[in-house]
Amino acid sequence: IMDKNTLIGFGLILLILVGFSMLQKPTEQKVQQAIQQDSIIQATPQQPLSQQTAPYEQELVEAGQTEAQALNDNYGQFAAFLTGENQIYNIENDLMVVSMASKGGRIASVRIKNYVTHDSLPLILFDEKNSSFDITLISSNNRIINTKDLYFTPVQGQNPLEFIFRLALAQDQYLDFVYTLQEDSYLMSMDICGQGLENMLSPSLSNLDLNWAVKMRSQEKGRKFEQRYSMLQYKFMGDDVEKMSVNKDENKIVNNRLHWIAFKDQFFASVLICDKGLISNELSSKLESDLSPHIKDYKLRSGIDFDMRGNREANLNFYFGPTKYSILKKFDKGLKKSERLGLDNLVPLGGSIIRWVNVGLIIPMFNFFGSFIGNFGIIIILMTICIKLLILPLTFKSYKSSAKMRLLKPQIDEINTKFAGESKAQERSAATMELYKRAGVNPMGGCLPMLLQFPILIAMFWFFPASIELRQESFLWAKDLSTYDAVISWEANIPFISKFFGNHISLFCLLMTITNLIYTKINSDNTGGSNQMPGMKAMMYMMPIMFLFIFNQYSSGLSFYYFVSTLFTIGQTYIFRATIDEEKMLKQLMENKNKPIKKSSFAKRLEEAQRMQREQIRQQAKKRR
């Protein structure tokens, strides 16, 4: 029920609306004028949008100028290059084919030889339709000119791997884009040469604005996994390599000089390199729709130093090729640290210690076996054996520590019964530690060896998905060890399952999960169970199930390695059981327990301090009572 004040409020609002509409009502004269104007517009033929004159052209036409005169006034001697026919020219070596477009004088597309997509199509990094390359010039009359709108003329180079695009403005006045493809290399140089352009371009022009955009194609079978490894990366001059977000759209402005900028998918990259540094950089990385044939949309706007008098060229280099560690590392051979490109950072091998393990141990081992074995499944098995033998002393020490803990478990249970309850937690802990100490058992003895093995496990996690060597290499039922080995697939979208698990089941991943569950049971028996911590016991069995969800879309080579590694660990466990005399070990523990412990002076002082502290607490409690 509305009260009096509410009714008054609504009434005032109604009056305001009615009054406003009456004030805004057009007069009869204005209505007649509008009707007349609409009739004139309908009777006048409309030009198509493509034939309509631009505002500045309309002004020039009204001044009595032709279109050619208008273009000449705005673009000067560059106006002659605004019309023409786009021609495509190919230049190639044994590794790639680069197509050049006369419109814009640019690299239109790149096809990598000796590689194909997951569905056996030619592997094209980008094409003319889904890429652009533009350099902005400022004319002497301060007009902005974009090279993407200009038609260049090809000029014969000095050798078959050199290609020149030229804008010949006048005699001894030209702008050249000189492209040189190196023999047996994925590198291509671009030199921007100006001769006698000081009267053609603005005298304030000391650098060129460069715009480069590429939509990276999807080349691999697992799109979600491929997208995770596709990223825009860049390197500061003489400094570290950074990357933009892989999971969301991101725009970034970097004012520091950059040595290179890379548009990368999982296994291939297009890299722009400038040894003098790219300045005033604007970077953009955007995700493409799942229905798109492209993974990411990359854009770069940057600046390069330039001398229009021809005294200094602008030099760029492009790398179009695979992100293979052995290839990328060669570019830094023999260079000082400050001069190194660091393109090997395009291979994601983990950070700090993990990368060191991969570079110093895993990759040399992988390359060694690959030098005389062609089956990569066999190589993974041999690597597993070598790694297991390498960490065997740590594994054996961890097993012995677990076995000792299991043998002492009945006495630990007695201590827990004797000092049951929360009020006696301190006494229970002290008695347990005393037992371990007298028996000569380190409760952390099994953890330290496992921690030392951990970097190798993590290094493998990074190594296999980043190894292009595994790409489209088959083993057993897996047709491509660089992606998942689906034995069952479906099309229906299942909530939660399809998003996190995928629409398939990978057999190597399933086998890895089963062997991990078996090993968890064996390991639990070896440590005497976890009756005092039932929650932890359930967690131990949940971890392999979580691995099934995590690794189902990962490289089958990685799942195969973990599967084989766990099988070897199970085998080692049974061998350790057969070779270790547990009765003798228990006898030794009991002898250690009965031996007097020789204490250091520090240990004596520490025990005395603890005794005095307990006595003080007891006296305080007595006073309170």
Side-chain angles (χ1 to χ4, degrees):
I1 299 173
M2 292 187 290
D3 58 13
K4 181 179 178 182
N5 292 332
T6 305
L7 290 172
I8 293 172
F10 276 113
L12 289 173
I13 292 171
L14 182 61
L15 287 173
I16 291 170
L17 292 174
V18 172
F20 181 77
S21 63
M22 291 179 67
L23 288 172
Q24 294 297 314
K25 184 178 180 181
T27 63
E28 185 67 24
Q29 183 181 0
K30 289 184 177 180
V31 171
Q32 291 300 325
Q33 288 176 353
I35 294 172
Q36 185 179 4
Q37 190 172 358
D38 288 343
S39 301
I40 294 171
I41 293 172
Q42 291 175 6
T44 304
Q46 295 294 311
Q47 277 187 308
L49 185 62
S50 60
Q51 298 177 11
Q52 292 180 16
T53 309
Y56 77 90
E57 292 178 348
Q58 179 66 37
E59 293 174 5
L60 293 168
V61 170
E62 289 174 358
Q65 289 183 313
T66 63
E67 184 177 353
Q69 289 172 327
L71 290 173
N72 188 65
D73 282 354
N74 281 275
Y75 292 96
Q77 289 181 271
F78 289 95
F81 305 102
L82 288 170
T83 57
E85 184 179 352
N86 187 29
Q87 299 288 337
I88 301 297
Y89 305 89
N90 288 338
I91 179 172
E92 62 180 291
N93 59 15
D94 292 338
L95 300 177
M96 60 181 178
V97 179
V98 181
S99 297
M100 319 292 295
S102 62
K103 186 177 182 181
R106 72 181 183 95
I107 300 171
S109 69
V110 177
R111 178 173 67 84
I112 306 298
K113 297 180 179 180
N114 306 320
Y115 291 97
V116 294
T117 63
H118 72 93
D119 46 1
S120 301
L121 296 176
L123 198 146
I124 299 172
L125 291 187
F126 57 85
D127 56 28
E128 185 178 9
K129 182 180 177 182
N130 296 292
S131 67
S132 64
F133 188 89
D134 176 39
I135 291 176
T136 304
L137 306 172
I138 302 176
S139 65
S140 57
N141 60 344
N142 290 324
R143 295 289 186 181
I144 294 176
I145 300 169
N146 297 310
T147 59
K148 67 179 181 180
D149 300 324
L150 305 179
Y151 291 85
F152 287 69
T153 302
V155 176
Q156 183 65 42
Q158 296 180 358
N159 61 72
L161 295 179
E162 183 180 80
F163 196 90
I164 303 173
F165 277 126
R166 174 170 291 179
L167 293 178
L169 301 166
Q171 189 175 4
D172 297 327
Q173 292 178 318
Y174 57 84
L175 177 67
D176 279 356
F177 291 170
V178 183
Y179 296 93
T180 306
L181 185 60
Q182 296 186 17
E183 191 173 353
D184 195 29
S185 174
Y186 292 103
L187 277 181
M188 186 177 198
S189 64
M190 177 186 181
D191 300 321
I192 304 172
C193 313
Q195 179 65 43
L197 299 177
E198 55 268 23
N199 295 326
M200 306 292 178
L201 300 177
S202 171
S204 62
L205 188 68
S206 60
N207 57 67
L208 301 174
D209 284 340
L210 180 152
N211 292 276
W212 187 31
V214 170
K215 286 189 176 182
M216 295 299 287
R217 293 183 169 211
S218 175
Q219 314 281 8
E220 314 304 326
K221 183 172 74 170
R223 182 184 180 91
K224 183 178 179 181
F225 192 72
E226 182 184 14
Q227 197 172 63
R228 188 180 304 168
Y229 281 82
S230 302
M231 65 192 76
L232 190 156
Q233 292 180 258
Y234 54 94
K235 181 183 182 297
F236 294 99
M237 292 294 292
D239 207 340
D240 296 333
V241 175
E242 300 287 342
K243 65 181 180 179
M244 295 180 69
S245 175
V246 298
N247 299 317
K248 62 180 181 180
D249 297 346
E250 185 177 5
N251 298 300
K252 186 176 289 187
I253 295 176
V254 182
N255 292 319
N256 303 65
R257 283 186 179 258
L258 298 180
H259 199 166
W260 53 257
I261 296 163
F263 298 160
K264 178 183 175 296
D265 61 25
Q266 185 176 357
F267 291 120
F268 300 91
S270 301
V271 189
L272 174 63
I273 307 164
C274 183
D275 290 333
K276 295 178 182 177
L278 298 160
I279 57 176
S280 303
N281 306 280
E282 297 179 24
L283 310 173
S284 172
S285 173
K286 293 184 178 180
L287 296 169
E288 288 286 304
S289 165
D290 289 342
L291 301 177
S292 171
H294 300 93
I295 290 288
K296 296 281 180 73
D297 184 359
Y298 299 125
K299 291 179 182 177
L300 160 70
R301 182 175 181 180
S302 189
I304 50 176
D305 297 329
F306 179 69
D307 179 14
M308 56 189 166
R309 294 173 180 82
N311 298 324
R312 185 180 69 250
E313 298 177 351
N315 306 112
L316 300 172
N317 285 287
F318 292 94
Y319 174 85
F320 300 120
T323 52
K324 189 174 181 178
Y325 183 84
S326 58
I327 294 175
L328 299 175
K329 192 64 179 176
K330 285 181 181 178
F331 293 121
D332 291 337
K333 191 174 182 180
L335 296 178
K336 298 177 183 177
K337 187 175 181 180
S338 59
E339 298 174 348
R340 292 174 187 169
L341 284 173
L343 288 176
D344 57 290
N345 287 280
L346 293 174
V347 186
L349 295 173
S352 59
I353 296 175
I354 303 303
R355 188 175 186 87
W356 180 86
V357 172
N358 269 317
V359 171
L361 175 65
I362 305 303
I363 291 178
M365 187 190 307
F366 184 81
N367 291 338
F368 171 73
F369 288 123
S371 64
F372 58 88
I373 298 175
N375 188 307
F376 284 88
I378 301 299
I379 290 174
I380 292 173
I381 293 173
L382 291 175
M383 288 179 66
T384 306
I385 295 172
C386 289
I387 291 171
K388 284 296 180 182
L389 291 175
L390 181 67
I391 62 176
L392 180 62
L394 297 175
T395 308
F396 184 69
K397 186 175 181 180
S398 178
Y399 178 85
K400 282 186 68 176
S401 178
S402 299
K404 289 177 182 179
M405 297 281 287
R406 176 167 49 82
L407 293 173
L408 290 177
K409 191 175 183 303
Q411 298 182 56
I412 297 296
D413 291 340
E414 290 179 8
I415 292 173
N416 291 334
T417 303
K418 182 178 180 181
F419 300 101
E422 235 178 276
S423 59
K424 296 184 179 180
Q426 187 174 357
E427 290 90 339
R428 183 167 63 247
S429 176
T432 303
M433 295 306 297
E434 180 67 19
L435 173 63
Y436 287 148
K437 187 176 181 180
R438 296 188 68 86
V441 175
N442 183 0
M444 300 299 294
C447 297
L448 185 58
M450 289 300 297
L451 288 175
L452 293 174
Q453 298 176 49
F454 200 63
I456 295 179
L457 294 174
I458 300 300
M460 289 300 194
F461 174 83
W462 283 97
F463 171 75
F464 283 108
S467 298
I468 192 173
E469 292 87 347
L470 297 179
R471 186 176 184 269
Q472 297 177 0
E473 293 290 342
S474 63
F475 180 69
L476 298 178
W477 56 83
K479 296 180 180 179
D480 187 345
L481 288 171
S482 71
T483 188
Y484 57 83
D485 55 315
V487 290
I488 299 175
S489 301
W490 58 89
E491 295 293 333
N493 182 47
I494 304 174
F496 184 81
I497 297 293
S498 295
K499 182 178 180 180
F500 296 100
F501 186 76
N503 284 8
H504 64 271
I505 296 176
S506 299
L507 185 53
F508 275 135
C509 183
L510 183 61
L511 291 173
M512 177 196 72
T513 302
I514 293 171
T515 53
N516 270 282
L517 286 169
I518 294 171
Y519 176 67
T520 300
K521 176 66 170 61
I522 294 171
N523 194 46
S524 178
D525 293 342
N526 186 55
T527 55
S530 304
N531 298 329
Q532 71 274 21
M533 299 181 68
M536 182 61 70
K537 186 175 181 179
M539 181 60 69
M540 288 171 62
Y541 284 98
M542 280 298 298
M543 287 299 293
I545 306 299
M546 291 172 63
F547 288 158
L548 179 63
F549 277 81
I550 294 171
F551 291 103
N552 191 57
Q553 299 187 68
Y554 263 71
S555 157
S556 57
L558 177 64
S559 297
F560 178 60
Y561 167 75
Y562 284 149
F563 164 62
V564 175
S565 178
T566 307
L567 278 181
F568 270 92
T569 303
I570 292 172
Q572 282 180 339
T573 302
Y574 282 108
I575 292 173
F576 293 158
R577 280 188 181 180
T579 55
I580 294 176
D581 188 342
E582 294 190 356
E583 291 185 4
K584 184 178 179 181
M585 180 183 288
L586 180 60
K587 184 179 179 181
Q588 182 64 49
L589 291 174
M590 293 301 100
E591 289 178 0
N592 294 340
K593 181 182 174 183
N594 296 326
K595 287 180 181 179
I597 300 175
K598 187 177 180 181
K599 300 178 182 179
S600 64
S601 57
F602 174 77
K604 291 178 181 179
R605 288 196 300 271
L606 183 61
E607 284 188 2
E608 181 63 21
Q610 290 175 341
R611 187 191 65 77
M612 292 179 66
Q613 184 181 16
R614 287 196 297 270
E615 183 62 27
Q616 187 177 5
I617 293 172
R618 192 178 297 110
Q619 291 296 330
Q620 289 175 353
K622 187 176 180 181
K623 287 180 181 180
R624 283 196 298 270
R625 288 195 298 270

